[in-house]
Amino acid sequence: MTRRAAVLAYLGLGANVGHAADTLKSATEVIRALPSIDGLTSASIYRSQALEVADKQADYYNTVLAVQCTCTAMELLAQTQAIEQQFGRTRPYWHAPRTLDIDLLLYGAASVAHPLLQLPHPRLTARRFCLEPLLELHPDGQHPLLGRLESYRAALRGQELSVYAAV
């Protein structure tokens, strides 16, 4: 069987239940150990208030991982959803607090419109907690459909965000 060429993908990790920052570190190590991952780089961990929620929630901790993966985007989605389950993720309602959330932000230059997966992530340029750590890893990054990612940074400055733990 021929091994697939590695694709550079970016994963957004977030959590706001339990020891969220520690969860992100642990989940990073589980992702690093996946057979389909040939390399992994992590951005700093950022802290932000929960967005788009009616109920008061604990602050979120977020990071972005750059992974060299040898699987398809759908396979990577299945693997990350299994990891979410391993960390106790439930989905009782939209924007519920999370033990772990893993989003595929970018998968190479792919554009995917599937009921289970949209790539690039549809809210990537609207969420500072995604964009800042992504730009930390990929400062000259391009959104396959919208162009230079840096150009969206200024519009998000009103969303509070702070570095919790630098890499």
Side-chain angles (χ1 to χ4, degrees):
M1 184 170 156
T2 304
R3 186 168 166 87
R4 297 176 57 94
V7 173
L8 179 59
Y10 291 90
L11 304 175
L13 280 68
N16 75 333
V17 173
H19 299 285
D22 291 336
T23 297
L24 298 183
K25 293 174 187 175
S26 296
T28 296
E29 293 312 310
V30 171
I31 292 167
R32 185 185 313 276
L34 290 171
S36 62
I37 301 300
D38 282 346
L40 181 149
T41 306
S42 178
S44 299
I45 295 176
Y46 291 76
R47 184 177 181 170
S48 65
Q49 293 181 336
L51 294 179
E52 304 170 10
V53 296
D55 56 337
K56 178 64 180 148
Q57 292 186 17
D59 287 350
Y60 270 87
Y61 294 81
N62 296 279
T63 192
V64 168
L65 306 178
V67 297
Q68 291 286 341
C69 61
T70 57
C71 59
T72 68
M74 292 303 287
E75 290 166 341
L76 185 58
L77 175 66
Q79 291 170 9
T80 58
Q81 287 182 338
I83 293 168
E84 287 178 344
Q85 295 301 307
Q86 179 182 336
F87 280 82
R89 171 78 190 264
T90 59
R91 299 171 191 265
Y93 58 91
W94 185 253
H95 293 302
R98 291 146 195 197
T99 55
L100 179 63
D101 182 36
I102 305 173
D103 291 328
L104 276 68
L105 304 176
L106 297 168
Y107 181 87
S111 177
V112 175
H114 185 278
L116 298 176
L117 178 63
Q118 292 185 16
L119 286 170
H121 191 283
R123 290 171 297 285
L124 170 61
T125 58
R127 294 177 169 174
R128 190 172 179 201
F129 63 82
C130 286
L131 190 62
E132 289 292 339
L134 176 58
L135 287 170
E136 181 182 323
L137 295 176
H138 194 33
D140 296 323
Q142 295 287 322
H143 187 289
L145 305 173
L146 303 175
R148 189 166 153 81
L149 290 168
E150 172 67 32
S151 66
Y152 294 89
R153 183 180 253 163
L156 303 180
R157 296 235 190 268
Q159 295 177 16
E160 289 190 34
L161 185 73
S162 60
V163 174
Y164 173 76
V167 290

